[in-house]
Amino acid sequence: MKLYRRLTAGLATALMAAGLALAAPALTRPASAASLTQVTNFGDNPGGMLMHIYVPDVRPADPAIVVAMHGCGGSGPAFHSSSEFASVADRHGFIVIYPSATQQAGFGNCFDTWSEAAKQRGGGSDPVSIISMVTYAQRQYGGDPNRVYATGSSSGGMMTNHMLALYPDVFKAGAAFMGVPFNCFANAADYPPGASRCTGGSMDRTPQQWGDAVRQAYPGYSGVRPRVQLWHGTNDTLVPYQLLQESIEQWTDVFGLSQTPTSTDTPQPGWNRRRYASASGVAVEAYSIQGAGHSLPSGGMAAAAIAFFGITGPPPTTPPPATTAPPTSPPPSGACSASYRQVGSWPGGFQGEVTVHAGTTALNGWTVGMGFPGGTAVTQLWNGTLSGAGSNYAVRNVSWNGAVGANGSTVFGFLASGSGAAPTLTCASP
């Protein structure tokens, strides 16, 4: 009994640390009058939850909505102050809902992913309360029903997978940090700190079994499924790292995809990413964070989740004109070239897209040089490897997009601070 109490206390302490102290040195937020606000009487609330909302001062008329959920022992306000989602919302103009769970699962404040009511669409408990919060944000602030997303850490990551399974018609994508697959917990007795089969390190089901659990959550649903981003530390023993693979198996089966990734890369040192794509794009991506324990999200991960969602900032009042910066000199026959267009802009920043073109012969690798006017800095890039600083950068292909067929093309994108002036481009291939 003494050993059990010590294990229980250790688990509670670790989960509370995950819920309350993640990324304590959060990003410095720009000066703003926006603040976290509690909302009462937001609608049907069978889970007895609390709702807080963060609405940035600068936002479009129909802002995206992100539901950000804490870990066990935490709260919405604590997750707001210890994570980077609000500071990213200031930059990109989306609303963040911070629910606070009140369920008692041994040590309190865990999102209900174990009860039969919570496993049924419209069945009650926390999932219905969360949907009421989303509906409130849409009604009160004009939130875009076509841009609603879920994310969370530990218990909140578990609920992220839960909401994507139960309400695929509401959520367009989700990012689960240190979560477990939908329907992993058999019941309340199987939830920590009891002897959980789900998080005990021995959970192993087939992809079809996991996929069937999601399909049975909303029988007959034939619409588009939300895209899924999964994060886990390789040294996480509280929610064992192998559960990342079980989650991958669940969602790739739901999308009818192979268990073999279509691409792998390392966007940042220690961030090993696997992507699973169909003809319409990446449906599932999974990050293995080397050496990390039960401590996610850490710095930069909130921004990566928001980029995966496709939230890139308040849209301009009128669509920006596409601009093209041709190579400094016409490429010889068969060489590569590059063209640029601005996808969107907002005060102090913009999103750009570069298309790499092959000539009359195929490319086997490429490097694009981007020269910007002073005051521009690239802050994030995808589908390439970035080097350089200041106003001059080089972007090299990653493993899966270096081969470009004759007369074909591939695309990479980026976010940058600055005026949005088009870069001067060069393109070279080995």
Side-chain angles (χ1 to χ4, degrees), residues 39-354:
V39 177
T40 57
N41 300 320
F42 52 82
D44 191 15
N45 186 19
M49 303 181 73
L50 304 179
M51 175 184 178
H52 288 78
I53 192 167
Y54 184 82
V55 182
D57 296 321
V58 179
R59 61 185 188 277
D62 55 346
I65 299 170
V66 174
V67 181
M69 294 172 278
H70 61 79
C72 278
S75 69
F79 197 51
H80 164 261
S81 63
S82 65
S83 66
E84 300 175 338
F85 290 102
S87 57
V88 180
D90 284 331
R91 296 202 300 271
H92 297 316
F94 59 88
I95 293 170
V96 190
I97 296 171
Y98 294 95
S100 290
T102 60
Q103 302 279 2
Q104 302 299 310
F107 41 84
N109 295 7
C110 298
F111 290 96
D112 179 7
T113 54
W114 59 82
S115 75
E116 287 305 311
K119 295 176 185 177
Q120 301 175 36
R121 177 183 171 87
S125 196
D126 291 353
V128 170
S129 298
I130 292 168
I131 291 298
S132 295
M133 296 179 193
V134 171
T135 302
Y136 173 89
Q138 292 169 342
R139 181 177 65 249
Q140 188 72 16
Y141 297 102
D144 188 347
N146 293 313
R147 293 192 299 153
V148 180
Y149 309 94
T151 188
S153 171
S154 193
S155 176
M158 298 170 191
M159 182 55 83
T160 296
N161 284 329
H162 214 77
M163 297 305 292
L164 300 186
L166 292 171
Y167 296 96
D169 52 335
V170 174
F171 294 95
K172 304 306 176 185
F177 294 88
M178 309 178 304
V180 302
F182 171 72
N183 204 18
C184 187
F185 296 107
N187 47 43
D190 190 39
Y191 198 84
S196 174
R197 180 165 181 249
C198 174
T199 56
S202 60
M203 176 57 70
D204 183 17
R205 294 177 185 162
T206 68
Q208 182 170 343
Q209 287 174 324
W210 284 124
D212 285 346
V214 172
R215 287 182 283 269
Q216 291 163 7
Y218 188 179
Y221 179 73
S222 59
V224 176
R225 292 282 179 178
R227 297 178 300 113
V228 184
Q229 186 184 66
L230 305 165
W231 299 75
H232 226 107
T234 59
N235 286 357
D236 190 340
T237 57
L238 191 62
V239 178
Y241 172 66
Q242 58 262 41
L243 287 172
L244 173 63
Q245 182 59 37
E246 301 299 311
S247 296
I248 292 171
E249 291 175 5
Q250 180 167 73
W251 290 112
T252 51
D253 185 80
V254 168
F255 281 100
L257 299 175
S258 167
Q259 301 298 301
T260 302
T262 51
S263 67
T264 59
D265 65 348
T266 305
Q268 293 193 29
W271 294 17
N272 294 338
R273 179 172 62 181
R274 289 169 278 174
R275 283 178 156 178
Y276 304 82
S278 65
S280 57
V282 175
V284 180
E285 68 176 25
Y287 284 84
S288 297
I289 308 304
Q290 298 303 304
H294 200 72
S295 58
L296 308 180
S298 55
M301 293 179 183
I306 297 307
F308 177 78
F309 295 164
I311 303 174
T312 55
T317 54
T318 57
T323 57
T324 300
T328 53
S329 59
S333 176
C336 70
S337 60
S339 60
Y340 169 78
R341 74 182 186 98
Q342 186 184 93
V343 176
S345 65
W346 51 91
F350 63 100
Q351 179 181 349
E353 181 179 274
V354 175

